[in-house]
């Protein structure tokens, strides 16, 4: 038997043996596990462990350790691995930078392929939605209702309506993400207003298509890669030079796939785009010499996908931008960088765990004098909003993009 | 977006945070990079200064004796360098003691009021009790781990507390070992007792983690449950001292200790535990918040990946976050990136390497390691008083704590080094890890500040 034939023969047995070889782009994360010194710092910092204890969620280390076992045993973590919110705190405190969030996704990928019976039902349902619509949410059945909902939101917030624009040859693609497209439409509208206010030549996609992060978190690597490829085609055909998004998850995932698949196009969160590309000089101009302003005490929540999966510099930009707005004072809660529990698709199947994680954020936010929580992510906004409401808090939660857009002057 | 800084500190453990605070106190714009957490966060939370001479079975009477001995025997030891006069050698032992003592007083002031406020001084060795019931000689412990009178157990009853479902501490073994390691008449308590409490952070009596209990103790209901379940045990044993595994809280540990002492009518202290321990994390947290109080900027999750050097001067350091890279333009740099845990020094089959500036790595006796396999620096015995000289490799440095090249000259005029990245001492055999990190961080931070202000001789 030649080497070639032997290789093919072995490859043919892999599926039966329930072995799924690592993809090239997974290898770096796999190798990072070799650096683990078993110190356990990650367990002490994990927000899910903090919320529910190691009995319910055994912590990041035990998941990373799974990689040192023979591949078919990945399924043994199935009662734990879906409780990870993917916040990345473990990787951030790890002395050796073991990429545990990536390991979690790899394990979920293998369980999805080999033991779909162990995948939480709610995630399989979500998988069906994504495959059917290329969106993370069931789209509006009636487009008129969607536009009515958008109108009501804009009126309530006092935001101007900016018509959608799809312009081939624009410099910037504004990618709102599924949540701002289908649910938190005010975020998309606010971003359009901000971009047009500063004279950015931007375009939207003709048809919104998911970036693939939810599929990746479910473990459906095939769909995740399919969606990434589809988006790449759309981006290429539009010919844009930059991508701007308002969603924390989309920011980090688009950065990931743009680098992995060689798009050669930088991806920014809008906050970062304002700070670094438009520049504080320009961004501060609309607020200069304005006599009338509404005072606001805000506290910030920093989304994990921004600070731990992209860069903490963006959190500093968020504060710098808020400080440009007259009347705004920032009240730090001391828990701004702690996961809100909204990530990792945990809320789809284990709402109790997701909401246990946010308990400490809610307490810290409530102990400030802030009247508003701002966060540059629609998912965090929704998770914190519903839990603050349930805790009987009067504090308003607003996406930072919306908060900023509402304070920009409007032409009359 | 690039950042300009007077002082860039690479590494956010004891050495780096101390250097950063010293720089901030001197009025510098300080940026501290912390890639992950390192040896400080993993530590027991006690600050050892100098407990053993490598190879010795008997600890020093106190740190002053230890520092004097080091000054005499190891003139190149980082502590000894603190005792150099302008001309370098010989070492002035009094100056060494004075400078370490200054750093110790300073850090005690910095951490005062925090959950990890430190107790102790160079003149006295504290025999801290560990989870195994053994004693560990050290100079500084957190206030929660210290009780007045613990150097004399005579005539006392000591109660060791464990928690059902908490596997790290078997209080019966702790109690037995504690007694067995003390000969009759030799500072031995009258009686030891142990108990196992049902304090259940998440409602089930198994698989409980030290941080689970500590966080539960930060909450009123958790502490109330502890006090309630402990009371009968204290009454029935007549305990004078109550020893806990170090789980009295991440935030409220001190308040909990004093409140328990009040309620129980006995003295309460925490034992030293294995890494990662709650006190280690308390120490890390307290140091980080002390830096921000001083106006220093801590960049979490930022890793220094490369640098640019012009005319013997490092003028730019590239910093990486998960998806972004930017430059920090510093006037001076303190390298406090640690050793094998922190990642400042790496060792593999091709030899040792300093990971950022690619400085040459020398062994504990200042010989170049060039290409030598790390195994060469291990001892045939895993545990021995000599330890492994592996833990003494690091970068060579001059009397200003500037890292030096193979020619013995500083590799850059604006770079200083502190903590376990330094060679010429063996922290694990000496029990001097956090002490050297503190003292050299303090000195390197001050030297860097002098450099920035043009005041370095």
């Amino acid at each position: 038997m030649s080497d070639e034939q032997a290789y093919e023969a072995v490859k043919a047995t892999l599926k039966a043996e329930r072995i799924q070889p690592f993809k090239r782009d997974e290898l770096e994360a796999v190798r990072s596990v070799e650096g683990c010194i078993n110190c356990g710092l990650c367990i002490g910092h994990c927000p899910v462990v903090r919320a529910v204890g190691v009995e319910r969620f055994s912590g990041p280390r035990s998941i990373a350790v799974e990689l040192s076992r023979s591949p078919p045993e990945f399924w043994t973590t199935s009662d734990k691995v879906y409780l990870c919110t993917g916040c990345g705190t473990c990787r951030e405190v790890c002395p050796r930078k073991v990429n545990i969030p990536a390991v979690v996704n790899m394990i979920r990928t293998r369980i999805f392929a080999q033991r779909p019976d162990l995948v939480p039902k709610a995630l399989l349902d979500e998988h069906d939605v994504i495959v059917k619509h290329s969106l993370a949410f069931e789209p509006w059945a009636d487009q008129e209702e969607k536009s009515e909902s958008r109108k009501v939101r804009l009126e309530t917030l006092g935001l101007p309506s900016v018509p959608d624009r799809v312009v081939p040859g624009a410099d910037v693609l504004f990618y709102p993400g599924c949540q701002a497209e289908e649910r938190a439409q005010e975020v998309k509208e606010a971003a359009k207003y901000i971009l047009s206010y500063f004279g950015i030549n931007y375009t939207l996609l003709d048809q919104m298509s998911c970036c693939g992060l939810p599929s990746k978190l479910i473990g459906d690597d095939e769909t995740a890669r399919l969606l990434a490829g589809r988006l790449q085609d759309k981006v290429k055909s539009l010919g844009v030079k930059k991508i701007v998004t308002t969603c924390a998850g989309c920011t980090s995932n688009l950065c990931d796939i743009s680098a992995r698949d060689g798009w050669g196009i930088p991806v920014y969160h809008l906050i970062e785009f304002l700070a670094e590309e438009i520049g504080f000089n320009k961004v501060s101009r609309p607020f200069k010499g304005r006599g009338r302003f509404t005072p606001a005490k805000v506290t910030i929540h920093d989304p994990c996908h921004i600070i731990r999966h992209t860069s903490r510099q963006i959190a500093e930009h968020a504060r710098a931008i808020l400080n440009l707005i007259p009347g705004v004072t920032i009240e730090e809660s001391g828990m701004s960088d702690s996961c809100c529990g909204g990530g990792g698709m945990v809320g789809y199947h284990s709402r109790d765990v997701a909401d246990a994680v946010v308990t400490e954020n809610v307490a810290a936010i409530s102990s400030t004098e802030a009247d508003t929580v701002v966060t540059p992510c629609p998912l965090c906004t929704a998770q914190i909003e519903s839990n603050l409401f349930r805790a009987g808090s009067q504090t308003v939660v607003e996406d930072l993009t919306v908060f900023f857009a509402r304070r920009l002057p409007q032409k009359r | 977006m690039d950042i300009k800084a007077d002082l860039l500190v690479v590494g956010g453990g004891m050495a780096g945070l101390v250097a950063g605070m010293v720089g901030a106190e001197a009025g510098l714009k300080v940026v501290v990079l912390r890639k992950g957490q390192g040896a400080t966060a993993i530590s027991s939370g006690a600050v050892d200064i100098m407990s053993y001479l490598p190879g010795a079975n008997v600890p020093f009477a106190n740190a002053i004796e230890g520092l004097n001995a080091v000054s005499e025997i190891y003139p190149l030891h980082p502590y000894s360098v603190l005792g150099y006069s302008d001309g370098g050698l010989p070492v002035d032992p009094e100056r060494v003691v004075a400078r370490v003592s200054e750093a110790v007083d300073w850090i005690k002031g910095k951490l005062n009021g925090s959950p990890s406020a430190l107790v102790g001084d160079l003149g006295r060795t504290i025999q801290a009790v560990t989870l195994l019931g053994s004693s560990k000689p050290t100079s500084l412990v957190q206030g929660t781990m210290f009780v007045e009178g613990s150097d004399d157990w005579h005539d006392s009853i000591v109660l060791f507390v464990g928690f059902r479902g908490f596997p790290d501490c078997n209080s019966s073994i702790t109690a037995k070992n504690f007694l067995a390691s003390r000969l009759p008449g030799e500072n031995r308590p009258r009686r030891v007792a142990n108990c196992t409490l049902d304090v259940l952070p998440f409602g089930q009596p198994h698989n409980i983690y030290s941080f689970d209990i500590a966080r539960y103790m930060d909450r009123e209901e958790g502490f109330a449950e502890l006090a309630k379940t402990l009371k009968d045990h204290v009454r029935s044993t007549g305990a004078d001292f109550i020893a806990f595994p170090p789980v009295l809280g991440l935030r409220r540990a001190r308040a909990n200790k004093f409140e328990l002492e009040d309620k129980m009518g006995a003295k309460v202290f925490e034992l030293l535990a294995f890494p990662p321990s709650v006190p280690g994390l308390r120490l890390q947290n307290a140091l980080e918040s002390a830096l921000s109080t001083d106006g220093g900027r801590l960049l979490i999750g930022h890793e220094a990946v490369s640098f640019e050097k012009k005319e013997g001067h490092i003028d730019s350091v590239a910093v990486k976050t998960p998806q972004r890279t930017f430059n920090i333009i510093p006037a001076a740099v303190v390298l406090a990136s640690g050793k094998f845990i922190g990642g400042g020094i790496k060792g593999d089959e091709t030899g040792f390497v300093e990971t950022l500036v690619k400085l040459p790595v020398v062994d504990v006796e200042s010989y170049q390691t060039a290409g030598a396999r790390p195994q060469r620096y291990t001892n045939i015995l895993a545990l021995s008083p000599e330890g492994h000289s592996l833990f003494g490799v690091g970068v060579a440095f001059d009397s200003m704590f500037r890292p030096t090249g193979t020619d013995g000259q500083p590799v850059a005029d604006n770079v200083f080094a502190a903590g376990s990245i330094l060679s010429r001492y063996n922290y694990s055999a000496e029990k001097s890890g956090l002490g050297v990190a503190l003292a050299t961080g303090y000195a390197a931070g001050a030297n860097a500040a002098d450099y920035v202000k043009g005041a370095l001789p």
Side-chain angles (χ1 to χ4, degrees):
Chain A
M1 199 188 272
S2 73
D3 283 0
E4 199 97 317
Q5 286 168 321
Y7 174 69
E8 292 302 324
V10 170
K11 218 167 76 176
T13 65
L14 292 181
K15 192 156 186 180
E17 300 275 353
R18 291 214 294 252
I19 293 171
Q20 199 173 346
F22 293 120
K23 294 217 160 59
R24 234 169 247 290
D25 50 65
E26 292 174 326
L27 283 178
E28 202 180 327
V30 173
R31 292 204 181 107
S32 77
V33 179
E34 292 168 9
C36 175
I37 54 172
N38 244 306
C39 70
L41 266 175
C42 51
I43 313 174
H45 284 275
C46 171
V48 181
V49 170
R50 184 179 68 209
V52 299
V54 285
E55 168 73 5
R56 178 91 190 267
F57 181 63
S58 50
R61 181 174 63 184
S62 66
I63 290 173
V65 161
E66 203 56 30
L67 264 188
S68 62
R69 302 200 193 151
S70 56
E73 305 308 320
F74 284 128
W75 66 270
T76 57
T77 58
S78 63
D79 59 334
K80 310 284 182 208
V81 79
Y82 293 102
L83 297 180
C84 167
T85 60
C87 70
T89 305
C90 46
R91 182 178 60 198
E92 190 174 66
V93 299
C94 176
R96 316 313 302 268
K97 301 253 89 39
V98 177
N99 197 348
I100 300 176
V103 170
V104 166
N105 291 340
M106 275 188 266
I107 291 176
R108 289 184 183 180
T109 298
R110 275 141 191 93
I111 296 175
F112 187 87
Q114 298 153 10
R115 292 292 304 270
D117 55 314
L118 296 176
V119 179
K121 168 89 171 50
L123 295 187
L124 293 175
D125 293 347
E126 173 62 11
H127 157 79
D128 294 342
V129 171
I130 300 172
V131 169
K132 188 164 169 203
H133 304 289
S134 297
L135 284 173
F137 301 97
E138 192 88 46
W140 291 75
D142 182 343
Q143 284 304 308
E144 258 174 46
E145 273 180 35
K146 181 180 179 183
S147 105
E148 191 56 34
S149 162
R150 178 167 61 231
K151 223 170 112 194
V152 171
R153 283 165 190 253
L154 291 183
E155 270 167 21
T156 317
L157 295 165
L159 278 172
S161 171
V162 178
D164 281 356
R165 43 182 278 154
V166 180
V167 199
D171 299 326
V172 170
L173 167 68
F174 169 53
Y175 182 84
C178 301
Q179 188 125 4
E181 177 68 32
E182 294 298 323
R183 300 282 177 94
Q185 294 189 71
E186 68 279 12
V187 178
K188 177 182 172 188
E189 297 304 308
K192 278 157 56 188
Y193 178 52
I194 295 170
L195 290 170
S196 57
Y197 185 95
F198 289 104
I200 304 301
N201 180 14
Y202 73 93
T203 179
L204 297 164
L205 294 177
D206 54 345
Q207 176 85 44
M208 178 62 201
S209 179
C210 179
C211 70
L213 179 62
S215 299
K216 194 194 268 183
L217 295 171
I218 292 169
D220 180 9
D221 190 49
E222 196 186 325
T223 306
R225 284 175 196 265
L226 186 99
L227 289 168
R230 186 174 299 164
L231 193 54
Q232 179 175 11
D233 293 343
K234 284 174 181 270
V235 167
K236 288 284 168 195
S237 73
L238 281 166
V240 294
K241 296 180 195 75
K242 291 164 187 173
I243 299 174
V244 175
T245 174
T246 42
C247 171
C250 297
T251 305
S252 81
N253 189 52
L254 289 174
C255 286
D256 264 344
I257 57 180
S258 170
R260 181 191 75 190
D261 301 343
W263 294 12
I265 296 171
V267 181
Y268 304 86
H269 189 279
L270 179 66
I271 297 303
E272 194 182 18
F273 190 74
L274 283 169
E276 302 211 348
E277 295 296 306
I278 297 177
F280 287 118
N281 250 339
K282 259 192 184 169
V283 173
S284 65
R285 232 170 270 159
F287 303 107
K288 282 191 181 138
R290 283 183 71 206
R292 289 178 53 216
F293 52 81
T294 336
K297 281 186 180 172
V298 301
T299 190
I300 305 175
H301 171 75
D302 299 313
C304 300
H305 274 277
I306 285 196
I307 57 172
R308 278 183 279 269
H309 291 279
T310 308
S311 175
R312 278 190 181 255
Q313 290 299 310
I314 305 174
E316 308 215 358
H317 293 331
R319 282 158 180 76
I321 285 172
L322 284 170
N323 279 326
L324 295 176
I325 309 175
V328 171
T329 46
I330 301 175
E331 305 260 332
E332 291 291 353
S333 71
M335 290 288 284
S336 69
D337 64 351
S338 182
C339 176
C340 73
M345 314 293 283
V346 176
Y348 281 78
H349 53 86
S350 301
R351 184 38 60 194
D352 60 323
V353 174
D355 290 346
V357 172
V358 79
T359 312
E360 288 213 37
N361 307 57
V362 166
I365 289 165
S366 305
S367 71
T368 68
E369 296 195 341
D371 43 53
T372 309
V373 184
V374 294
T375 180
C377 172
L379 178 64
C380 298
T381 304
Q383 165 76 353
I384 295 171
E385 193 169 37
S386 69
N387 281 278
L388 270 177
F389 178 75
R390 215 171 308 149
S393 166
Q394 301 289 315
T395 315
V396 175
V397 187
E398 200 159 279
D399 191 284
L400 181 50
T401 303
V402 175
F403 185 89
F404 181 76
R406 288 180 70 192
R407 278 151 188 85
L408 277 180
Q410 287 179 24
K411 291 174 196 120
R412 281 166 209 275
Chain B
M1 202 177 273
D2 294 352
I3 296 178
K4 276 195 170 174
D6 297 322
L7 174 61
L8 169 66
V9 181
V10 181
M14 173 67 96
L17 292 166
V18 164
M21 279 186 256
V22 170
E25 276 186 344
L28 304 188
K29 190 183 167 202
V30 173
V31 172
V32 178
L33 304 179
R34 200 199 76 194
K35 162 174 76 100
Q37 290 189 336
T40 302
I42 301 174
S43 74
S44 69
V47 179
D48 299 331
I49 302 295
M50 187 72 205
S51 300
Y52 291 91
L53 202 63
N57 283 310
V58 182
F60 291 116
N62 56 44
I64 293 177
E65 188 189 276
L67 292 171
N68 274 303
V70 164
S71 307
E72 299 286 343
I73 301 168
Y74 300 115
L76 299 177
H77 193 286
Y79 279 141
S80 303
V81 172
L82 296 170
Y84 289 1
S85 56
D86 295 344
L89 292 166
V91 182
D92 174 1
E94 274 179 38
R95 192 168 144 78
V96 173
V97 174
R99 290 190 70 185
V100 176
S101 181
E102 186 190 330
V104 164
D105 290 343
W106 175 86
I107 195 75
K108 280 165 72 177
K110 286 285 164 194
L111 300 182
N112 195 19
S114 80
S116 63
L118 296 171
V119 177
D121 54 64
L122 300 185
R124 171 169 63 165
T125 291
I126 297 171
Q127 294 290 345
V129 185
T130 73
L131 271 186
L132 296 176
S134 57
S135 297
K136 175 189 154 78
T138 184
S139 295
L140 300 165
V141 294
Q142 298 181 11
T144 49
M145 306 156 94
F146 179 78
V147 272
E148 207 53 64
S150 63
D151 44 1
D152 182 12
W153 301 105
H154 276 116
D155 223 24
S156 61
I157 298 171
V158 187
L159 172 65
F160 289 86
V161 175
F163 295 89
R164 195 174 313 284
F166 173 52
D168 293 17
C169 172
N170 181 330
S171 60
S172 142
I173 290 178
T174 318
K176 276 181 199 148
N177 276 346
F178 180 74
L179 205 60
S181 61
R182 284 165 176 75
L183 296 170
E186 197 189 70
N187 192 15
R188 201 176 184 207
R190 180 148 57 97
R191 201 157 70 80
V192 293
N194 74 286
C195 65
T196 303
L197 303 182
D198 275 304
V199 172
L200 312 175
F202 292 100
Q204 90 285 334
H206 45 85
N207 231 347
I208 296 172
Y209 189 52
S210 56
F211 289 86
D212 292 349
I213 307 178
R215 290 204 188 89
Y216 197 40
M217 292 303 117
D218 284 341
R219 287 165 33 203
E220 270 173 38
E221 69 265 34
F223 181 72
E225 195 177 323
L226 172 76
K228 195 171 142 231
T229 48
L230 180 63
K231 190 129 197 144
D232 283 345
H233 295 284
V234 178
R235 198 180 298 138
S236 65
T237 54
D240 305 300
F241 293 96
I242 310 170
F244 279 91
V247 294
L248 284 180
L250 270 168
R251 288 196 286 256
R252 287 180 42 100
R254 275 170 66 79
N256 285 346
K257 168 190 153 104
F258 295 131
E259 205 177 324
L260 269 183
E261 289 186 336
D262 239 25
K263 284 197 159 120
M264 302 297 148
K267 287 180 176 168
V268 169
F269 65 101
E270 291 178 317
L271 304 167
L272 264 65
F274 317 105
S277 75
V278 170
L281 199 55
R282 284 200 300 245
L283 179 64
Q284 176 77 31
N285 291 345
L287 290 167
E288 288 183 9
S289 68
L291 175 76
S292 85
T293 305
D294 280 347
R297 188 169 165 194
L298 178 66
L299 299 185
I300 294 169
H302 289 60
E303 181 177 7
V305 287
S306 65
F307 67 97
E308 267 177 45
K309 192 164 120 181
K310 275 189 201 128
E311 290 157 14
H313 192 85
I314 287 192
D315 54 12
S316 168
V317 174
V319 171
K320 200 174 156 287
T321 70
Q323 298 283 1
R324 303 286 183 253
T325 305
F326 62 97
N327 294 311
I328 295 183
I329 317 295
V333 178
V334 170
L335 269 186
S337 42
K339 194 165 282 173
F340 305 123
I341 295 174
I345 307 279
K346 276 187 182 158
D348 62 20
E349 68 279 9
T350 61
F352 296 102
V353 58
E354 185 280 312
T355 50
L356 179 61
V357 191
K358 316 296 174 204
L359 298 164
V361 173
V362 301
D363 70 8
V364 72
E365 283 159 348
S366 288
Y367 291 112
Q368 297 290 333
T369 60
R373 290 159 68 96
Q375 290 93 317
R376 233 183 83 186
Y377 300 93
T378 56
N379 196 325
I380 193 155
L381 289 174
L383 297 172
S384 77
E386 285 82 13
H388 301 274
S389 61
L390 180 71
F391 299 111
V393 305
V395 302
F397 51 99
D398 71 0
S399 61
M400 290 291 147
F401 290 102
R402 281 178 300 217
T404 51
T406 43
D407 57 356
Q409 294 303 308
V411 290
D413 60 353
N414 64 335
V415 177
F416 303 82
S420 62
I421 194 171
L422 300 174
S423 61
R424 311 201 301 233
Y425 76 109
N426 188 332
Y427 69 89
S428 102
E430 297 168 0
K431 306 290 172 227
S432 64
L434 287 175
V436 170
L438 164 65
T440 58
Y442 192 73
N447 290 348
D450 283 348
Y451 173 86
V452 173
K453 294 175 170 180
L456 196 73

